[in-house]
Amino acid sequence: MSISVVDQLRFSGTEAEQASAKRLFSALSGHGRFIATNAPIRVKLESVIDFFESIQPGADETSVQRIAELNPGIFSIDVVDDEKFLITTREGVAETARTIDGSHTFQDRLLKPEPKPETPPAPIRVRPRVDASWATLDQVLKDFELEDEEPTDLLEDDPEIDLEPTESAAVEQDDVEDAAPAARTIVVPAGSMTDVAGIEDVELAEAIRGRLSADPRVATFADQWMMEDRVPRFSRGDLRRLKDYIQEQEQPLTDEMLVQDVLEIRPRSSDFELMRFALNFRLAKEHRDFDFVGTSNQRFWSVSSLPQIGTTRRKPTEIGTDYRFLVEGSEQKKSAYRSQTVIDHVLTFYESQLGLLPYDADMQSLLPGPIEPAQRSAVLTFECPQSYTTYLVELRYPTPNRGGFILGLDDFYNENLVPGALLTIKATENDGHYLVEYVAGSTENARLLELEERRQRYVFRPTTFACGVLEEFMLNEDRFAGFSGEKPLDDKARRRPEAVIAATFERLNKQIEGSGYWASFQDLLAGVNVERPFSENYLRSVLDNDESGAFARDPDGADAYTYVPGTTS
Amino acid sequence: MSDGQETIQLTDEDIEFIMSLLRNSSSPLSTQDLIDALRSRG
């Protein structure tokens, strides 16, 4: 059972006045029944009189004011713009009787700062004292000639050090006034910005690479830079999916393919470039699982379990050894990467058999260098517009004792070319993509040299071809009949260029009176390239510098050499 | 002193400028981007 507020209030006045006050309070508290118990209920005095008259005929303003005056703790009258209001609250407390407790407010709590904590007194600094043993230093220094510096400065008990940044090198100034205590001014160089206006881009790039690549806070890949902590990371699951996808496709894939197909990010997405960089940077750290085999514009990734690109007739290490002459002696020329846009090349028998090209100085000037310091190979695309075919080829970079070469052109050669064909390789804007073309010719038939795989013998077979060839390099039966039925040289003989040249002299079989063989340089060059690669310079170098005396330049021939057997082994 | 063959050395302030560029970039910047920024620096 609840007791209403009105029953608890004590009204003053006569019994009739108390009853009137009680009714008046009930009416007002009913009017404000939905507001807070301590919020003022303000009703115009005029309305109160109208209400009062309706329940108590004869009531007027005086009687209402009388009730308010008799109960000042419950009612109050307020005047706003000549309008009178009767005010009370649901808890029966006149507004004037209410006091606001301002001792603890949010305003105070949030806006008024707490008083500063009292700081403890600073500890007394121990002043450095010069050890007494230095007192005789000035006497010692007298023997030395000092230009602007007074050695006594060093002995001041309380040197005041003033740091003033300037752009000059650090110097010490000695502006000591007679009256003032001796003070030293040390001028240190301020950090200054380099004026880059007169510096070439290449030098600036080198300076930037030099500083940033050594900074562990910075991530870099293929001449791009980013703060390491902003490069997205990949989970072990992501890495496994990337590896599996490359294995499924059975060939190296570019970063763009991997980001689209595995990470499912669209090329037009704002994150695409960021994720490409992240993929390249993060995979480069996974040496055990991933190999970077790309170029700056075409970033291929491979895994160790992929099948080798190109021929399996010969191991890449053996081919590299065959091309060793490219990294030593006169052939060792350093050409700037991508400094040429087009090169020509005559296909040899060795290259045709293995579907490869040498990475000689010309090729180096056309193709890009490795992006990563430990990069051993780069996968490139060679497009042949004449056959509407694009070949995935692998450039094996040279090592200190093996030459470089390009593998993967077997199908292109088999379908279109014969030894002696003239090739043109053109660079494109994409440093990983090249156009390879041959000189188209009318259809011809000739009996050309081939290696019969099953019997491992050289044979001549009728061949139809429709490409332009240099006759000197074409191995037809008319000029090279002596090769027919010959077996390839064993590896021991192949390794010795002199042995290969001697065998070629014998196969060419142009005997001279007495004993010995004769051959034109062009026939020799085409013939030795059946067994192993020789450049023109390398062949001439071996012939001219032969210490055994077996080879000699023919003094009568235009450009020919002789060979006397028995002097080489 | 300079014989034109010396390697350019960037100052700490240059590097701090580059680092601030990298910190404020949400995508990778190329070396050429950094060179252009160094040149256009006020």
Side-chain angles (χ1 to χ4, degrees):
Chain A
M1 181 178 162
S2 63
I3 299 170
S4 65
V5 175
V6 70
D7 293 331
Q8 294 178 329
L9 294 174
R10 289 184 174 278
F11 297 98
S12 305
T14 62
E15 210 167 292
E17 285 170 339
Q18 285 181 23
S20 298
K22 195 172 181 179
R23 296 181 74 175
L24 186 59
F25 179 80
S26 297
L28 287 175
S29 60
H31 179 78
R33 61 188 177 278
F34 295 122
I35 64 174
T37 55
N38 61 350
I41 303 167
R42 299 166 67 88
V43 181
K44 280 184 181 176
L45 193 62
E46 199 176 322
S47 303
V48 175
I49 293 164
D50 289 346
F51 166 74
F52 218 48
E53 276 181 335
S54 66
I55 58 170
Q56 192 175 318
D60 57 5
E61 184 179 345
T62 314
S63 53
V64 175
Q65 283 187 341
R66 169 79 181 155
I67 291 170
E69 286 165 4
L70 285 171
N71 301 285
I74 299 172
F75 300 106
S76 63
I77 291 176
D78 189 20
V79 180
V80 179
D81 295 337
D82 298 333
E83 189 82 55
K84 290 183 178 175
F85 291 86
L86 182 65
I87 304 171
T88 186
T89 63
R90 281 174 57 203
E91 60 186 5
V93 178
E95 194 187 22
T96 50
R98 293 198 307 125
T99 56
I100 297 170
D101 181 10
S103 61
H104 183 71
T105 65
F106 269 120
Q107 189 177 4
D108 279 349
R109 288 174 60 187
L110 298 177
L111 299 181
K112 191 174 175 183
E114 286 194 353
K116 271 186 170 182
E118 282 186 17
T119 49
I124 299 167
R125 288 179 60 189
V126 180
R127 295 172 68 185
R129 299 284 178 186
V130 178
D131 192 277
S133 60
W134 288 91
T136 57
L137 184 64
D138 53 342
Q139 301 299 320
V140 175
L141 292 177
K142 268 184 184 173
D143 296 339
F144 296 94
E145 190 175 331
L146 296 175
E147 291 177 357
D148 298 325
E149 193 173 347
E150 289 290 332
T152 50
D153 285 354
L154 299 172
L155 302 177
E156 287 298 326
D157 278 351
D158 187 14
E160 185 182 330
I161 297 171
D162 185 14
L163 299 179
E164 285 182 15
T166 71
E167 291 190 3
S168 59
V171 293
E172 290 187 11
Q173 294 179 348
D174 199 4
D175 300 331
V176 183
E177 291 182 14
D178 291 339
R184 285 201 307 156
T185 302
I186 299 176
V187 183
V188 298
S192 57
M193 294 189 285
T194 306
D195 180 10
V196 295
I199 304 174
E200 296 286 327
D201 276 6
V202 179
E203 291 175 274
L204 266 179
E206 207 53 47
I208 290 171
R209 287 188 200 109
R211 287 292 296 265
L212 292 193
S213 57
D215 193 326
R217 295 172 297 171
V218 181
T220 180
F221 189 87
D223 233 14
Q224 285 188 306
W225 310 91
M226 198 171 177
M227 295 306 289
E228 204 275 344
D229 55 5
R230 302 196 71 168
V231 182
R233 296 173 188 280
F234 297 122
S235 66
R236 298 313 302 175
D238 290 334
L239 295 174
R240 191 171 55 249
R241 284 192 296 133
L242 289 164
K243 186 177 178 182
D244 290 348
Y245 190 66
I246 295 173
Q247 282 172 335
E248 281 167 24
Q249 299 297 313
E250 296 183 336
Q251 66 175 48
L253 299 176
T254 61
D255 56 352
E256 288 178 337
M257 293 177 194
L258 292 170
V259 170
Q260 281 185 68
D261 298 349
V262 181
L263 304 179
E264 297 178 346
I265 295 172
R266 293 181 180 176
R268 288 185 182 175
S269 159
S270 58
D271 283 347
F272 190 73
E273 282 306 311
L274 172 64
M275 292 308 288
R276 272 185 74 195
F277 179 81
L279 181 130
N280 289 314
F281 177 67
R282 298 292 177 204
L283 292 197
K285 297 196 173 302
E286 302 290 330
H287 301 290
R288 288 177 58 187
D289 293 324
F290 296 92
D291 291 319
F292 180 72
V293 290
T295 63
S296 182
N297 299 131
Q298 209 161 253
R299 300 171 189 176
F300 276 101
W301 286 95
S302 180
V303 293
S304 55
S305 54
L306 282 188
Q308 179 191 319
I309 291 177
T311 187
T312 53
R313 289 178 179 172
R314 209 163 171 74
K315 291 177 186 171
T317 51
E318 293 174 340
I319 298 171
T321 305
D322 287 345
Y323 279 112
R324 183 173 180 160
F325 68 91
L326 292 176
V327 292
E328 56 190 19
S330 59
E331 296 283 336
Q332 192 183 16
K333 282 186 279 186
K334 288 282 179 191
S335 303
Y337 298 118
R338 302 267 296 166
S339 55
Q340 287 198 66
T341 56
V342 58
I343 63 165
D344 293 327
H345 182 76
V346 181
L347 192 64
T348 67
F349 185 88
Y350 179 86
E351 294 159 6
S352 173
Q353 283 289 107
L354 299 177
L356 53 78
L357 283 169
Y359 185 68
D360 53 17
D362 275 351
M363 203 63 82
Q364 186 172 321
S365 66
L366 180 77
L367 302 180
I371 297 276
E372 292 289 288
Q375 188 177 347
R376 290 177 301 172
S377 64
V379 171
L380 311 171
T381 45
F382 273 29
E383 179 188 349
C384 178
Q386 290 154 304
S387 61
Y388 307 103
T389 312
T390 298
Y391 301 91
L392 206 60
V393 303
E394 183 173 9
L395 161 59
R396 296 268 180 157
Y397 287 109
T399 63
N401 55 6
R402 290 199 181 98
F405 52 93
I406 298 162
L407 281 171
L409 292 163
D410 313 57
D411 292 344
F412 176 57
Y413 292 166
N414 290 338
E415 289 163 12
N416 303 293
L417 307 178
V418 293
L422 186 65
L423 286 174
T424 302
I425 305 159
K426 292 179 187 168
T428 66
E429 286 186 359
N430 176 348
D431 69 354
H433 186 74
Y434 295 83
L435 299 177
V436 56
E437 294 179 59
Y438 56 88
V439 178
S442 56
T443 304
E444 289 184 54
N445 289 300
R447 287 178 65 83
L448 299 181
L449 188 71
E450 282 183 18
L451 176 64
E452 190 181 288
E453 291 284 333
R454 190 174 57 81
R455 291 172 54 217
Q456 282 294 297
R457 302 267 176 182
Y458 292 115
V459 295
F460 285 93
R461 288 213 176 104
T463 309
T464 303
F465 57 93
C467 60
V469 293
L470 289 184
E471 293 289 339
E472 307 93 288
F473 284 89
M474 200 164 73
L475 296 155
N476 55 28
E477 195 166 20
D478 299 341
R479 287 169 57 214
F480 297 91
F483 280 73
S484 183
E486 287 282 314
K487 290 179 73 174
L489 298 177
D490 60 44
D491 283 342
K492 188 181 172 188
R494 281 185 70 261
R495 276 198 287 272
R496 297 184 55 248
E498 294 84 359
V500 174
I501 296 170
T504 306
F505 265 108
E506 290 169 0
R507 286 168 173 177
L508 288 169
N509 199 24
K510 291 179 179 170
Q511 297 191 22
I512 52 179
E513 290 179 9
S515 63
Y517 297 89
W518 175 95
S520 72
F521 183 78
Q522 278 302 332
D523 285 353
L524 271 178
L525 184 58
V528 292
N529 270 291
V530 170
E531 291 291 342
R532 55 167 287 164
F534 275 86
S535 69
E536 190 175 331
N537 285 340
Y538 183 52
L539 176 60
R540 207 176 282 283
S541 156
V542 176
L543 287 169
D544 291 342
N545 301 317
D546 173 43
E547 291 176 355
S548 68
F551 308 118
R553 188 185 284 265
D554 180 5
D556 300 328
D559 187 9
Y561 285 83
T562 58
Y563 162 60
V564 180
T567 46
T568 62
S569 55
Chain B
M1 182 78 184
S2 173
D3 59 2
Q5 300 297 315
E6 280 182 20
T7 308
I8 301 299
Q9 295 289 336
L10 296 178
T11 64
D12 289 345
E13 205 159 304
D14 296 327
I15 294 301
E16 196 47 51
F17 173 74
I18 291 173
M19 296 298 260
S20 70
L21 286 178
L22 294 175
R23 273 190 214 102
N24 292 322
S25 172
S26 57
S27 57
L29 298 176
S30 68
T31 305
Q32 191 59 50
D33 291 335
L34 300 180
I35 291 171
D36 293 343
L38 281 173
R39 290 199 189 287
S40 61
R41 174 175 56 176

